[in-house]
Structure formats: C-alpha cells, structure tokens
Amino acid sequence: KQFFKLAGVIITCAVISACSSSNNSGGSLNKGKASSGDADFSKYVAIGDSLTAGYADGALYLFGQQNSFPAVLAKQFAEVGGGAFEQPLVSDNFGGLVFDGAPILDSDGNDRFENRLVLNTDPDPTMEGELPSPERLAGTATTEVNGSGLTGEFNNMGVPGAKSFHLLAAGLGNPAGVLPELSNPYFARFASAPGAVLIADAAMQQPSFFTLWIGNNDVLSFATSGGVGVDQLGNPDIAGDIDPNNKYGSNDITDPTAFAGVYAQIVGALTANPATKGVLINIPDVSTIPFFTTVPFNPVPLDQASADGLNAAFAAYNAGVQSLVGIAPGLTQEEADARTLTFVAGEENALLIIDEDLTDLTQINPPSTLPLINMRQATNDDLIILPTSAKIGELVDPNDDPKDPTSPRWGISGALEDGDVLTADEIQAIDTARTAFNATIKAAADADPNLVLLDASALMTQLSTAEGIDFGTGSINSKFATGGAFSLDGVHPTARGYAFIADSIIDEINAGFNANVFKVDPALSTTIFLK
C-alpha cells in the first residue's frame, strides 16, 4: 500500500540503486599510516536503537544491516587490530518480520512490521500530475522472530524501537511477549535468554571499545506520532512502580532525571573495565530531519471562488471565537486572532489543524450549537509530519460525495488531527527533554578520558542547511529523497548517510585517542532505491 505522497518533491538527482558500499581507504580522505593509537578495537560492541542496527526505508533489512555505521566502522577497525564483528542479520531484503511464519498484527489487524520502502517512479495514468511516491516493496518476508536460530554473541546490539530504559529491562527480548506487544521482536531474535537484559548481554562481551547511541526514541516516538503521548517531565517513575496508573506509554517523552539515572547505569556497565574506551553520541533535533521538514505548513492552492467559499463557510466560526474574548477564561485577543481562519486565492494557504493546547471553548459553546473546536491554521512554527501528506485534500469521510464542494477535506475544510502535526508547544517539550539528555551525555563523556563525544545534533543541523556537508569527494544534505543522507522513511540514513556517520565517529576517535583510523568514501555508498 502507498505510504505517502511526496509533497512538492521532484526527483532530479541521479539515484544509485544497485551497487554496494565497500571497504576502501577513502582515497584523499586519509593520509599517513593507519594506526589504532591509544585505542584497542579487538572487541568492538555497538549499543543503541534503530540507528545503530542499520534500519532504513522504514524497515530492518539485510542490505541496511550490512551498511550500518557499526559495520562500516568494524571494517575500518579491522585494518588496525579490530576483531570479528557479528550482527544478528535478518533473512532477506524485504524487511518485514513474521512470528511462527505469520505476519505480526496490531489490534486493528494491520501488519506491524511491513516491508521496506522503495520509490515508485512508474507513471500511473489514473494519478495524472502526481509525483513519485515511496511504497512498500512487494514480497513475502521470511525473517522469523520466534525461533530465529540466532545464538552466541553479537557485536551489533542495536535494537529498533529501544528507548534508554529498555536497555535495563529484563525480558525485553522474550519471544512470548512479542504478540501482546510486551517485548521487542528485534531483540527477541538474538537475546541470550528470554529474561535477558540488553546492556548485560553487551557488557558480558567485555568490549575493548564501544559506541553508544541511545535516547533518540525517548523523544522521537512522541515526535513521529505527532505528539500523541505524554510529556513525562517531572515523573521519573518509568515503570509505574509508585503509581501503576501513571506508567509510561510507548509514545511518551522520558523525564530527563530518569534518563540521567538510566544513562549512568548504561555507561557504568560498559566501562566496568577501566581500559575500555568508547564514543558517546548525542540526540539530534527532530526539526532537522526530513520526516518533519518535507511537508510545508502552507501547501494549499486555492482559486478565488474556493477561497471565497471557505471564508463564507467559516465566518460563523470566526465570529464565535472573537465574541468569547473576555468571556471564556484564558482566551486572549491574541489567541482569538490566531484561531481566525482566512483563505486567499493563491498557492500558499495554511493547513487547518487541531491544536489541543488552545483554550477549550466547547463548554461555553457546545458543538450542538456552534462547534468552536480547538482549530486554527498552521504556522511556520508547526511541523507537519511526512505521512500526513497522503491525506491532505482527501475526504474526511470517504463516504461523502467527492464532487460536492461542501464535503470536508483534510487540512482544507476539515482540520487535520492531533497526530498529523507537531505544534510549537509540542516541539518545545521535545527540545526541552532533548537538551537535557544531551547535557547528560556530554557530562558523561567529559567525566571520563576514555570517552569521546560525537555531536550528532550539530551534524544533523548542518545537514539540514541548503549546502549540507561536503565530505571531500562529494556532499550530502537532508532534503527528502534527493539529499543523499536520509532514506525514504525520512528518519533513518541511507547507506551513504551511515558511511558519513561512521566517518564522523572516526574523526572523533582519531582526535581523542591519538589514532589514524582510515575513513571510507561515502560517495561509493548507495542512497535511495527505486521500485
């Protein structure tokens, strides 16, 4: 099924879709003799979430794993004393998961783990004017979760979907918990035992060197859901041990105090051997990645007749909101003006959205008389999430007559739902937590001379600029589908993006540990894939 339609994105770049990345010297990127310096790479272990696992294009598939940044690093470490590097490889390049041979379904009967995304460039005669769209690759997934056959130690301990505190949770990889959504199917494939603790499985390998990139999902799951979750700021009771009714939900933002305590335990477990060295990686700003930056807040084109019709249709709503200034508690003139809906002839009308943080007026004007719902038009401070582009302009009620101009349409005459948009208040909550997480990560790196920090936040911010980053043999940026850095899910890197991250880590290793690990050439790695 179609995942989303591209909003204003035209594929003009040359797309490499068949070649694989290779272990190479990076040519002019490297000088002198390769050396491990003060580091020991004989036992490298990578710990983290989907970004460590090699997740890309909305799935974990074989090619993505083989081009994960830890896999790239391991190849370069091998030139300076690095040892074997084992990954819990999936079975195919489709990316889906099965449990006892059957798809893993959610409560609505939908497949929870679909195949990866590819770009469909085949023209569809029924969709005249539509731009190329990512869609799920057709095929039968074969990666089994229950009884995967994976045993032994694995150097890549990246688990898609893992939050910081999941690394300390017993039973995260219990196969019996997969179907009721009580455990993680990716870790269930390779956990040492049903009750295993992920960080213990990593630490028992006694790594001589490690990378740790965890904490992304502590804010990202809230962000990608469009803010459908709870900001748990001030509540460190993750498991609901104090109040069972206040247990964290899957999309909640982790309390920074809780994160700090968890992170200290994780780093402590990995550095129990005082000779162990490692790289800590911080959390990027969600507003720098294409999942949140591709769809504009004002993509609605209107002719004069349509604009006039919408203004007339919302005249009573506008008047109702304005009439309650000074009457409805908390409703200021500024808010009333922000809630006033205005449409003009042209190409850049703002989307109509629900904002749950607006003053609730329905208690004064019940919907049965005048539906003064929490509705406004989006501004440049809001972020429209990437999948929302598929519904903009579609009928709110699919049973309505599409030829009837009064039939509400998403984002135009019917407000987009809370989960379609990140509002400015939600973005602020995310960034408050993320900033605190990054302070914790930096403090951990500063406190131990055997640890260095990769500022992934700064890298992603630079990638989000028009010029992107020049890596010596080429450049990449974060523009969706064409920038080279991000895969078709808008969150995870391409193989080229992962190669660039590996090189960025190598830069920190070389500077911090007196080493000369050679870098790879990201230009030799792939970007997006065509159908």
Side-chain angles (χ1 to χ4, degrees):
K1 65 182 179 181
Q2 181 170 298
F3 185 58
F4 50 77
K5 294 177 288 185
L6 296 183
V9 178
I10 301 176
I11 307 304
T12 58
C13 65
V15 178
I16 305 172
S17 59
C19 70
S20 62
S21 62
S22 60
N23 184 24
N24 62 84
S25 66
S28 60
L29 298 175
N30 303 300
K31 295 180 180 179
K33 182 180 179 180
S35 166
S36 63
D38 301 325
D40 175 5
F41 302 114
S42 59
K43 186 68 174 183
Y44 166 48
V45 177
I47 304 94
D49 50 39
S50 54
L51 291 166
T52 294
Y55 197 97
D57 298 310
L60 187 67
Y61 60 100
L62 187 59
F63 181 83
Q65 288 183 290
Q66 292 167 334
N67 290 275
S68 65
F69 82 79
V72 175
L73 287 176
K75 290 178 182 178
Q76 303 311 109
F77 292 165
E79 303 299 318
V80 288
F85 188 80
E86 297 293 333
Q87 299 192 95
L89 297 175
V90 296
S91 304
D92 56 50
N93 272 311
F94 291 119
L97 298 179
V98 296
F99 193 95
D100 289 340
I104 303 172
L105 306 180
D106 61 20
S107 58
D108 295 323
N110 299 315
D111 193 343
R112 286 167 53 196
F113 303 97
E114 296 181 280
N115 289 353
R116 65 185 174 94
L117 294 164
V118 291
L119 191 67
N120 182 6
T121 57
D122 293 336
D124 184 344
T126 67
M127 301 288 284
E128 184 176 355
E130 291 289 343
L131 297 171
S133 299
E135 64 178 43
R136 296 289 177 178
L137 182 66
T140 302
T142 60
T143 299
E144 178 62 55
V145 171
N146 192 29
S148 65
L150 297 177
T151 59
E153 295 180 344
F154 294 95
N155 303 78
N156 190 332
M157 300 292 292
V159 174
K163 296 189 177 189
S164 60
F165 50 86
H166 289 153
L167 272 59
L168 303 177
L172 180 68
N174 188 348
V178 170
L179 296 183
E181 301 187 42
L182 299 175
S183 62
N184 186 298
Y186 296 102
F187 188 44
R189 295 184 60 248
F190 68 97
S192 62
V197 175
L198 192 151
I199 196 61
D201 273 8
M204 72 179 181
Q205 299 182 56
Q206 299 182 324
S208 63
F209 194 88
F210 70 89
T211 53
L212 174 63
W213 198 0
I214 197 67
N216 294 284
N217 290 322
D218 292 68
V219 289
L220 190 60
S221 59
F222 177 88
T224 55
S225 72
V228 179
V230 176
D231 179 8
Q232 294 286 0
L233 178 66
N235 175 28
D237 186 24
I238 295 170
D241 294 329
I242 299 173
D243 181 1
N245 296 319
N246 202 25
K247 182 179 179 180
Y248 278 29
S250 60
N251 292 335
D252 291 357
I253 299 175
T254 303
D255 171 59
T257 301
F259 177 86
V262 166
Y263 200 81
Q265 292 182 65
I266 294 170
V267 173
L270 294 171
T271 57
N273 181 344
T276 300
K277 293 179 171 59
V279 180
L280 308 182
I281 307 173
N282 68 9
I283 313 304
D285 181 349
V286 299
S287 68
T288 63
I289 63 177
F291 189 89
F292 302 99
T293 60
T294 300
V295 184
F297 76 94
N298 57 347
V300 180
L302 295 173
D303 57 27
Q304 189 64 59
S306 297
D308 291 344
L310 288 167
N311 285 325
F314 287 109
Y317 173 86
N318 290 341
V321 171
Q322 291 290 343
S323 71
L324 293 180
V325 175
I327 298 175
L331 180 65
T332 64
Q333 185 62 57
E334 181 182 15
E335 181 183 332
D337 291 344
R339 295 173 72 155
T340 298
L341 311 179
T342 305
F343 301 88
V344 298
E347 298 292 323
E348 297 183 347
N349 284 272
L351 292 164
L352 195 60
I353 68 171
I354 292 293
D355 183 348
E356 61 184 2
D357 292 314
L358 295 174
T359 302
D360 183 7
L361 304 179
T362 58
Q363 297 303 312
I364 299 175
N365 278 64
S368 60
T369 58
L370 183 65
L372 300 184
I373 60 176
N374 284 26
M375 179 171 61
R376 64 174 173 84
Q377 285 173 302
T379 73
N380 196 41
D381 293 328
D382 302 308
L383 297 176
I384 315 300
I385 68 172
L386 191 55
T388 300
S389 61
K391 67 189 292 186
I392 295 171
E394 297 295 320
L395 291 172
V396 173
D397 184 346
N399 296 316
D400 282 350
D401 181 0
K403 296 181 180 179
D404 184 350
T406 65
S407 296
R409 293 180 178 272
W410 289 115
I412 302 172
S413 51
L416 292 169
E417 298 169 292
D418 177 39
D420 296 324
V421 183
L422 273 183
T423 64
D425 287 341
E426 291 168 338
I427 295 166
Q428 182 59 56
I430 291 167
D431 212 50
T432 296
R434 184 189 68 87
T435 300
F437 296 170
N438 285 349
T440 291
I441 295 169
K442 184 177 186 303
D446 290 344
D448 189 336
N450 284 333
L451 302 177
V452 296
L453 174 71
L454 173 66
D455 191 351
S457 178
L459 286 178
M460 297 304 171
T461 297
Q462 191 175 350
L463 279 176
S464 69
T465 63
E467 60 273 16
I469 295 179
D470 187 324
F471 50 74
T473 59
S475 63
I476 53 175
N477 62 57
S478 62
K479 189 173 182 180
F480 181 71
T482 63
F486 284 88
S487 69
L488 292 172
D489 61 30
V491 174
H492 300 89
T494 59
R496 184 171 299 174
Y498 280 126
F500 170 75
I501 290 170
D503 280 354
S504 300
I505 293 171
I506 289 172
D507 284 337
E508 298 301 330
I509 290 171
N510 289 345
F513 300 127
N514 193 35
N516 190 29
V517 178
F518 282 4
K519 299 199 290 187
V520 299
D521 184 355
L524 299 181
S525 295
T526 62
T527 57
I528 62 172
F529 290 83
L530 305 180
K531 180 180 177 182

